[in-house]
Amino acid sequence: MTTPKETADVVLIGGGIMSATLGALLNDLQPEWDIRVYEKLDYVARESSHAWNNAGTGHAALCELNYSPQDANGDVDISKAVTINEQFHQSRQFWSFLVKEGIITDPTSFINTVPHMSYARGDKGRDYLRKRYETMSRNPLFADMEYSDDPAQHAEWLPLMFEKRGPGQVNGVSRFSQGTDVDFGALTRQLLGHVEGNGVQIRTAHTVQDLDRSADGWNVKVRDDRSNETTEVNAKFVFIGAGGGALHLLQKSGIAEGRGYGGFPVSGLFLSTSDPELVDRHYAKVYGQAATGAPPMSVPHLDTRVIDDKRYLLFGPYAGFSPKFLKGGSILDLPFSVRGNNLPVMLNVAKDNFDLVTYLMGQLAESKKGRFKLLEEFTPEVDPEKWNLTVAGQRVQIMKRDPQKGGVLGFGTEVVSSADGSLAALLGASPGASTVTSIMLGLLERCFPQQYAGWEPRLKDMVPSLGRKLHEDETLLKEISEYTAGTLQIG
Ligand SMILES: Cc1cc2nc3c(=O)[nH]c(=O)nc-3n(C[C@H](O)[C@H](O)[C@H](O)COP(=O)(O)OP(=O)(O)OC[C@H]3O[C@@H](n4cnc5c(N)ncnc54)[C@H](O)[C@@H]3O)c2cc1C
């Protein structure tokens, strides 16, 4: 039997926040284009983008201490924090556009105000946090940050964490009251529902098995997992937004730009509770400092979450090692990703990151008691009966070539695209979903050079600050902040 053949302008692989955002942008810019989304699970937004598979922090570098490291002279470098904050402002603007256009009717269905706070213990931790506050609050993006090392103020801001502590502790706490909690799953579902209404085909239970170059783009081999039938879709542009599954598909595409990339999977567990006595006494996302060898995304945090209008507390993540690339993946995912071109990279990463491997193995072996001990660093009121263990999504961190070291482990996200712009893949996990708009704007510019200039005016309707830096223009920053806070009801 011959394989049925179809054609499309764009194929988006994966039904997570990345494909959903790119699909919404392209559908608005080129409504006549035939766009297809293929998702292997029965529902969209069930992997990393699902609310319970990530921490839902609207990463804006307000509370995450790994974005503002201290150097040997004691100075705090906030350059990365500035970049991430600017990127989150772009996401806020795009999401405001969705509300303004009526695509999303109730912003509180996916974004809610939750103060972002940082917490550091001991003299050294307090001094670092104070210095960070002094440095950051001089930048207009972070001018509203507050800081205190007064136990009474801590107890007022964070009753669950500080009310019942005894005397003698030294702590520093900083606060940014306009932080956010984001349900990326709810946002993904609304975006994909909207584009489906505009004619974009969304096929769940469809697994993309292979990709080959064709005369004018890519032949995408898709299996309908319900009927087991396979179709070949010839697409001019392919986006591999398959989350943890992206590396395998990038390798199958065979593009030269994908050579040398490997994936380092990190699993995550959270403790969660909806106990009103606890939930009502904590309203913040409080990020602490990383333990030695801990990867930056495993920094413990005690968070308010807002999911389907209900408040929860989440604590973690407890990282661990699993060879799976997707939550429902296979233990062969890691071994099957090893190629001649990435093996030297992976070996170098293993050699240089012994601390990390030791840390992850230690976390895997962590007992229930050990997990609550870590929670005790955040609150003296720990009753294990009130907390449930939740398995979060898998993160596949990037391993890539490095001219000096041979191979490095990256903790960010990266778009890898073919030289002709016909294929792009998103690798990595952090800060991930929060910066999705900037990631996709960059992808549009890189992969659609012929169309981009013509698209710019419309893109500026969606993201008014496009091409400008908010921290360099305080008037614009104020204007944009007020507009997005008002539209998204997070003011
Ligand atoms: C523990 C954890 C905490 C996190 N916390 C935060 C946070 O606080 N803030 C934040 O901004 N980000 C956070 N992230 C990152 C964020 O979740 C991701 O950046 C984001 O969800 C990635 O979206 P995606 O669309 O690329 O992937 P996903 O949502 O995983 O979607 C990819 C989809 O592709 C599908 N797929 C895979 N292979 C195939 C195939 N062959 N064919 C068809 N479909 C396929 C999968 O089933 C999946 O549905 C966290 C991630 C984790 C794991």
Side-chain angles (χ1 to χ4, degrees):
M1 204 181 88
T2 54
T3 310
K5 292 192 175 19
E6 295 177 15
T7 56
D9 293 299
V10 172
V11 161
L12 306 173
I13 307 174
I17 187 64
M18 298 294 166
S19 289
T21 303
L22 183 57
L25 287 164
L26 286 173
N27 177 243
D28 185 284
L29 296 164
Q30 299 286 160
E32 74 289 2
W33 280 6
D34 181 344
I35 301 175
R36 315 275 176 94
V37 180
Y38 294 108
E39 165 54 54
K40 70 190 282 191
L41 300 179
D42 286 344
Y43 301 91
V44 299
R46 280 292 161 117
E47 265 286 340
S48 292
S49 301
H50 189 273
W52 287 110
N53 285 340
N54 63 69
T57 302
H59 286 303
L62 305 171
C63 55
E64 312 85 340
L65 300 176
N66 54 304
Y67 299 140
S68 46
Q70 193 164 28
D71 66 19
N73 303 323
D75 294 327
V76 176
D77 176 4
I78 65 163
S79 49
K80 187 150 192 211
V82 168
T83 304
I84 289 168
N85 191 279
E86 291 272 357
Q87 290 175 334
F88 192 64
H89 270 291
Q90 291 204 327
S91 284
R92 282 173 55 138
Q93 290 171 67
F94 179 57
W95 300 338
S96 298
F97 165 83
L98 299 173
V99 173
K100 236 176 42 176
E101 296 277 306
I103 294 165
I104 289 180
T105 46
D106 176 11
T108 65
S109 63
F110 78 96
I111 188 163
N112 287 279
T113 309
V114 175
H116 280 196
M117 308 184 64
S118 309
Y119 159 54
R121 304 189 313 152
D123 293 327
K124 206 167 155 216
R126 177 206 52 198
D127 292 349
Y128 157 67
L129 202 59
R130 194 191 288 143
K131 179 86 185 176
R132 173 182 177 269
Y133 157 74
E134 285 164 4
T135 312
M136 289 184 91
S137 54
R138 283 198 290 271
N139 186 298
L141 294 171
F142 306 107
D144 292 336
M145 190 176 276
E146 300 163 82
Y147 171 82
S148 171
D149 37 39
D150 171 11
Q153 180 65 80
H154 296 166
E156 192 194 315
W157 279 343
L158 297 165
L160 182 64
M161 283 181 64
F162 290 102
E163 251 176 17
K164 296 193 182 162
R165 285 189 192 221
Q169 291 205 9
V170 174
N171 297 301
V173 174
S174 66
R175 175 169 113 129
F176 200 98
S177 57
Q178 301 305 313
T180 54
D181 179 69
V182 183
D183 180 342
F184 293 105
L187 178 60
T188 303
R189 289 191 294 276
Q190 293 183 74
L191 283 171
L192 289 176
H194 163 69
V195 295
E196 187 175 38
N198 286 350
V200 170
Q201 289 189 37
I202 296 169
R203 300 277 168 82
T204 54
H206 277 63
T207 301
V208 172
Q209 296 183 297
D210 209 351
L211 295 155
D212 287 308
R213 282 232 185 236
S214 67
D216 58 347
W218 292 89
N219 268 326
V220 184
K221 200 167 144 197
V222 190
R223 185 188 63 215
D224 178 337
D225 297 324
R226 294 186 187 109
S227 67
N228 230 5
E229 274 169 23
T230 301
T231 306
E232 257 181 38
V233 185
N234 188 264
K236 294 190 191 99
F237 173 77
V238 174
F239 171 61
I240 307 177
L247 179 64
H248 282 146
L249 290 169
L250 176 65
Q251 290 175 331
K252 284 185 174 172
S253 78
I255 64 168
E257 293 77 5
R259 292 171 69 80
Y261 280 92
F264 186 94
V266 178
S267 59
L269 291 172
F270 285 108
L271 290 172
S272 66
T273 181
S274 59
D275 186 302
E277 267 183 41
L278 302 177
V279 170
D280 291 349
R281 292 175 56 229
H282 186 84
Y283 190 59
K285 283 176 178 276
V286 184
Y287 277 60
Q289 288 186 293
T292 308
M297 72 287 177
S298 304
V299 169
H301 43 103
L302 180 60
D303 283 17
T304 296
R305 300 294 312 273
V306 185
I307 300 170
D308 293 332
D309 271 341
K310 189 169 169 188
R311 263 170 64 178
Y312 300 85
L313 293 188
L314 194 74
F315 180 73
Y318 303 93
F321 177 78
S322 150
K324 293 181 183 182
F325 281 3
L326 291 163
K327 200 170 167 178
S330 151
I331 54 164
L332 297 176
D333 284 346
L334 179 60
F336 279 3
S337 73
V338 181
R339 299 279 185 283
N341 64 59
N342 64 15
L343 184 61
V345 171
M346 293 167 93
L347 291 174
N348 272 303
V349 168
K351 175 172 69 63
D352 292 345
N353 290 275
F354 192 67
D355 265 6
L356 173 62
V357 176
T358 315
Y359 170 84
L360 292 176
M361 291 302 174
Q363 289 265 296
L364 261 191
E366 193 65 282
S367 63
K368 195 173 170 195
K369 213 167 142 201
R371 289 195 191 108
F372 285 105
K373 204 152 179 48
L374 187 59
L375 177 58
E376 260 176 24
E377 289 180 12
F378 277 68
T379 169
E381 299 175 57
V382 175
D383 176 355
E385 294 300 310
K386 294 186 172 173
W387 294 85
N388 304 309
L389 202 58
T390 312
V391 181
Q394 284 287 107
R395 299 195 211 226
V396 180
Q397 304 301 144
I398 301 167
M399 294 189 270
K400 62 177 188 177
R401 287 175 177 153
D402 178 81
Q404 265 92 46
K405 296 183 170 177
V408 288
L409 182 61
F411 291 106
T413 42
E414 191 167 324
V415 174
V416 179
S417 58
S418 59
D420 66 355
S422 63
L423 180 137
L426 184 97
L427 301 179
S430 203
S434 301
T435 55
V436 58
T437 307
S438 309
I439 294 172
M440 291 308 150
L441 290 170
L443 183 151
L444 291 179
E445 192 171 9
R446 195 187 317 175
C447 295
F448 297 92
Q450 262 119 40
Q451 291 92 342
Y452 190 80
W455 286 347
E456 253 184 312
R458 182 62 178 160
L459 290 173
K460 283 186 178 158
D461 288 343
M462 302 180 195
V463 179
S465 77
L466 184 66
R468 292 178 287 174
K469 296 265 181 271
L470 296 181
H471 71 277
E472 289 169 359
D473 184 341
E474 284 190 50
T475 314
L476 182 68
L477 171 64
K478 189 166 180 290
E479 218 175 87
I480 293 285
S481 301
E482 282 173 6
Y483 153 64
T484 55
T487 314
L488 297 173
Q489 299 174 27
I490 49 175

